[in-house]
Amino acid sequence: MAVEETRVLPAPVLEKVLESYVDKLPGMMGKPIDTDAYKPGVPDRNKLLTDAYDAAGGLGSLVGPDAYKSFMSPYQNEVMDATLSEFDRQQAIGQTGLRDQAISAGAYGGGREGVMQAQYMNQGAMNRANLQAQLLNQGFTQANQLASQDLMNRQGLGNYMTALGKDKLGYDTAKYDAGIMAAREKEYEPFTRMGLIGNMLASINPGAFGSTTVGYQPGAAPASPMASWLGGAAGAGGVLGKLGIFG
């Protein structure tokens, strides 16, 4: 029984494109994708943030009972020393005056002069202690105010640096992410291109280009030697029979 097979061949221009497309697929199928080329990550902390964090670690010296000491200037100590020296000088002058008065009154070395000297010295010591405490309190108050103001200034500067650092970190992160996306697109570009071409080829209307229809009918199978002999014998018998050789 004869078998007919009909094939619809694409137009030559499409056939070349399809062959070229299919030839490229095995090489791409065996090529691994380098995922390290677009591995996610986080940008390093920029200098503004690093400086802000480092500065925050040093704020401990600006709080607590000893915070004022760094702001006690030598000038304040010199003023206090000079003031106390002047007080001592005036105290000595007063003591000399008491002695002179006692001498003039003929009471020098007596009990009364001794009591007056003792009272004068005690009062002077008390006045000197009060003056020193007042000077120290003024220096402490001023130094403490300066320490507090410096702490506020540093905190404000730290907040400003942190805000700028975060803005820059956001920009660096966006830039880093864009680089990751670009690296990924570059790595996938051959596959993306082949996918787009494949979609275009699949969307082409078969009727857009002329095609060729080829009919094929297989030939009859050659006869076997036995069939040929039987056929020949049958033919010969018929002819010889007609000639009266076989009766």
Side-chain angles (χ1 to χ4, degrees), residues 131-148:
L131 177 60
Q132 185 177 14
Q134 182 180 357
L135 293 173
L136 288 173
N137 184 63
Q138 290 177 352
F140 168 78
T141 301
Q142 183 177 1
N144 196 38
Q145 290 175 348
L146 292 175
S148 298

Side-chain angles (χ1 to χ4, degrees), residues 33-147:
I33 297 176
D34 184 13
T35 56
D36 288 338
Y38 55 91
K39 182 171 60 177
V42 178
D44 294 333
R45 183 182 294 169
N46 54 63
K47 190 175 186 301
L48 285 169
L49 288 177
T50 301
D51 291 346
Y53 277 89
D54 291 343
L59 294 180
S61 61
L62 299 178
V63 295
D66 295 331
Y68 74 95
K69 290 184 178 180
S70 298
F71 297 88
M72 290 289 291
S73 68
Y75 175 75
Q76 291 174 330
N77 292 328
E78 291 176 1
V79 170
M80 185 171 60
D81 292 342
T83 302
L84 292 177
S85 296
E86 178 62 22
F87 178 87
D88 292 339
R89 190 178 74 83
Q90 294 296 330
Q91 182 76 2
I93 293 174
Q95 187 177 4
T96 301
L98 287 176
R99 185 191 62 185
D100 293 342
Q101 291 177 8
I103 293 174
S104 298
Y108 180 73
R112 182 179 178 184
E113 189 266 339
V115 171
M116 292 179 61
Q117 287 285 353
Q119 291 179 344
Y120 181 80
M121 293 295 294
N122 290 336
Q123 185 65 40
M126 185 179 297
N127 292 338
R128 189 180 194 280
N130 289 334
L131 177 60
Q132 185 177 14
Q134 182 180 357
L135 293 173
L136 288 173
N137 184 63
Q138 290 177 352
F140 168 78
T141 301
Q142 183 177 1
N144 196 38
Q145 290 175 348
L146 292 175

Side-chain angles (χ1 to χ4, degrees), residues 123-191:
Q123 185 65 40
M126 185 179 297
N127 292 338
R128 189 180 194 280
N130 289 334
L131 177 60
Q132 185 177 14
Q134 182 180 357
L135 293 173
L136 288 173
N137 184 63
Q138 290 177 352
F140 168 78
T141 301
Q142 183 177 1
N144 196 38
Q145 290 175 348
L146 292 175
S148 298
Q149 185 62 46
D150 188 61
L151 177 61
M152 293 178 60
N153 292 341
R154 294 194 187 197
Q155 288 176 338
L157 179 60
N159 292 335
Y160 180 69
M161 292 173 62
T162 300
L164 290 179
K166 286 183 177 180
D167 287 343
K168 189 175 187 308
L169 182 61
Y171 171 78
D172 292 340
T173 301
K175 187 177 179 180
Y176 187 88
D177 291 343
I180 291 294
M181 294 177 61
R184 184 179 184 277
E185 290 298 323
K186 182 179 180 180
E187 189 68 20
Y188 274 85
E189 189 278 333
F191 301 94

